[in-house]
Amino acid sequence: MTGDREGTVPDAALAAGRQKVATVMADAATAWLNSLSEDQLPLAAYDSPLHPDAETERLRWFYTPTDHGGLAIRDQSARQQSLAMRLVATGLSIPGYATVTTVMGLENVLDQLEGWRVHWDRQRGRDPGLYWLRIFGRPGGRVWAWRFGGHHISLNNLVVAGRLVSTTPCFIGADPATTELIGGTLRPLQGPEETARQLVRSLDTGQLHSALLHPSAVSDIVSGNRPRVEHGDTMMHMQDLWRGRFADPELDRLVDDIDRRAEAGSGYTENDHARVALTIPPKGISGRDLNSEQRHLLRRLVTLYTGRAPEFLADAHATHYASDTVLDTVHFGWAGSTEAGEPHYYRVQDPRVLIEYDNTQRDGNHAHSVWRDLASDFGLDVLAEHRARIAHE
C-alpha cells in the first residue's frame, strides 16, 4: 500500500513514520555512496529516477540468479558492505532483515547441494556476494529510490517529498526451503507456508471448492517479475526471468531445460495456466465466507507479508487488516497438495494487495514468495501524482 491508505492509523502518525524512515534511509544511502570510489559510483547510482532510462531500469527487477543491476556486495570492501547492509536494514522490519540475510546465506548451502558446479556464466555457481544495490536519484532529494536484489531477493523502495511511499514488489525465496541443522531445522519461510496450509486444511468441502484454483500446483508465482500486474496475466516462463539472453548458448539451453522440467513436473498445459491466471476481481474464497478462526488465519497470513516492512508501516498494515470490512474483501486461493513436503501454490488478493507463494521445484523444497501492490508497485501512482503537481507549479 502507498499513500495514507492504511485504515484507522492516524494520518499524522503514519506521515511522521514515513518521514522518519525516509530520513534514516537517506542518511544510510548517503553514507554508502560517500564510501565508494569513482569506479564504483557509476554502477551504484543513477543520478535521477525521473530520467527515462533510470525509470526503465528502476522497474526492472528479478529473483533469478541473474545480474540484478547495481554494485555487487562482493565488489565492495568490508566497510562498504556494512554500510550497504545498513541501508538494506532500513527498508525492513527486524524479522524481515533476518529473513533476507538468511536467504543470502543459503547460497552457500545451495552451492554444496548442487555439487559446487560453476554455471550461470560465473566463477562460482551460487555466490552469496552476488546481491546488488543500486540507488536512483539523490538521497534526500524530492524523488529518489533504491533497490537491493540477487537470487531469491528483490527489495524496491521509493521516497517522494521526504516520505517512504512504496516498499513493493517485495520478493523473498528460499532454496532449499528446508535445511537440516544440528538438532534442528532451518525454514526461512516456515510461517507463510504453515499458516496457509493450516488455513486450507481448515476449510470444509464447500469452502475448499471455492478456494481451489487447480488440483496441481503451478510451477512458479504467476505474476513473475512484471513491473505491473494486470487482469489475465498467466505464469511467466523461466526464459523471461533473466536480464537478456546468455552469451553462452549452453546456458540458454540450461534455462530452457529447467523450464521444461518444471512444466513436466506440474503437468500444466496452456488451459491449466489460464485456469490459474490472475484476475480482477480475484479468484478463491473471500474472507466473508470464512469462520472466525479461519479469518484469524487469513489475517495472520497477510500480515506475515506486510510485516516485512519497517515496523511503523507493518503496524499500519496490521491495523488496516484488523478491520472486518477490509478482511471481507480478501480472497484466498490454493493449488496443489495440502500435505507438507509436496508441491503447492497459494494466492492472497484484495483490491490492492497481491501475495503469491509457491513451493514446487526441487520436489517441494524450493520456495518463492512475493508481496505486491496492485495499484502502486514501485509507487507509480504516487509518482504520477507528484509529476502532475510539478507540471502545474
Side-chain angles (χ1 to χ4, degrees), residues 373-384:
D373 186 326
L374 293 171
S376 190
D377 272 341
F378 301 102
L380 291 176
D381 65 340
V382 178
L383 192 56

Side-chain angles (χ1 to χ4, degrees), residues 81-313:
Q81 291 177 20
S82 177
L83 292 170
M85 296 311 295
R86 173 187 165 194
L87 174 57
V88 171
T90 67
L92 295 161
S93 62
I94 292 174
Y97 179 73
T99 304
V100 163
T101 54
T102 298
V103 169
M104 294 170 65
L106 274 179
E107 291 294 277
N108 291 302
V109 178
L110 185 56
D111 211 13
Q112 180 190 43
L113 184 65
E114 294 184 332
W116 315 104
R117 287 182 296 168
V118 176
H119 56 183
W120 308 124
D121 204 22
R122 300 173 172 180
Q123 295 182 15
R124 180 179 180 184
R126 303 295 184 177
D127 191 339
L130 281 181
Y131 288 83
W132 289 264
L133 179 59
R134 174 165 278 169
I135 293 174
F136 301 84
R138 181 177 59 82
R142 287 187 62 84
V143 179
W144 70 281
W146 62 272
R147 178 185 67 205
F148 181 75
H151 188 212
H152 284 153
I153 297 295
S154 186
L155 310 175
N156 299 274
N157 294 268
L158 176 69
V159 177
V160 176
R163 299 165 64 245
L164 175 64
V165 299
S166 179
T167 58
T168 62
C170 180
F171 183 100
I172 303 177
D175 185 11
T178 300
T179 305
E180 294 305 314
L181 303 176
I182 298 174
T185 304
L186 176 64
R187 297 179 63 191
L189 297 175
Q190 178 177 0
E193 178 166 319
E194 292 301 329
T195 301
R197 181 175 291 111
Q198 188 177 355
L199 174 55
V200 74
R201 285 180 170 179
S202 76
L203 302 178
D204 63 31
T205 302
Q207 290 175 318
L208 183 59
H209 179 76
S210 297
L212 193 66
L213 304 174
H214 196 286
S216 300
V218 65
S219 64
D220 201 352
I221 60 171
V222 177
S223 58
N225 67 334
R226 295 177 172 93
R228 297 174 181 84
V229 177
E230 297 182 358
H231 175 80
D233 282 343
T234 57
M235 190 196 81
M236 296 178 65
H237 288 272
M238 180 70 70
Q239 297 89 335
D240 299 320
L241 300 175
W242 302 77
R243 187 183 284 272
R245 306 296 285 184
F246 290 101
D248 182 354
E250 185 60 34
L251 290 174
D252 277 337
R253 286 192 287 271
L254 174 61
V255 173
D256 290 343
D257 183 60
I258 292 172
D259 186 72
R260 281 194 298 271
R261 285 188 279 115
E263 286 298 273
S266 71
Y268 268 47
T269 64
E270 289 187 11
N271 286 338
D272 294 309
H273 282 295
R275 183 172 169 181
V276 297
L278 294 167
T279 60
I280 302 171
K283 299 175 181 177
I285 189 169
S286 69
R288 68 173 57 89
D289 295 323
L290 301 177
N291 64 36
S292 59
E293 180 57 29
Q294 292 166 339
R295 289 169 67 85
H296 169 75
L297 289 169
L298 180 60
R299 183 176 284 116
R300 171 169 168 74
L301 183 58
V302 174
T303 56
L304 284 172
Y305 285 83
T306 60
R308 298 172 177 183
E311 276 78 5
F312 87 92
L313 191 52

